[in-house]
Amino acid sequence: PTVEGWQPDFGSRQALQVLIAHGRSDPVIDVGFARSARDQLLAAGLHVEYHESDAGHQIDASQIAAARSWLPRTLGG
């Protein structure tokens, strides 16, 4: 999931809260992509909550609790 020539604009997103959940067994998008995204976002000073599981290319039920906790903290609900 890359776009040739596109570069992220981290400077205008310093307040952005990020949740990444990815499966180590994902045959479509390698877990290395998620790890790289996490590392780039952290290096840019964004707050990242990162979760990995043994899942493939689907929403892992074990990550639902993390998302349910993250959403109200992030959106203020």
Side-chain angles (χ1 to χ4, degrees), residues 38-61:
R38 173 201 58 203
D39 295 346
Q40 289 178 51
L41 292 164
L42 288 171
L46 280 72
H47 175 75
V48 178
E49 185 172 325
Y50 182 84
H51 300 270
E52 270 187 29
S53 70
D54 290 328
H57 192 72
Q58 74 268 356
I59 296 172
D60 185 351

Side-chain angles (χ1 to χ4, degrees), residues 8-33:
D9 175 16
F10 295 125
S12 68
R13 292 175 171 82
Q14 291 300 305
L16 186 67
Q17 301 288 314
V18 180
L19 172 70
I20 298 174
H22 200 89
R24 288 183 287 274
S25 300
D26 189 333
V28 179
I29 301 173
D30 186 76
V31 70
F33 186 84

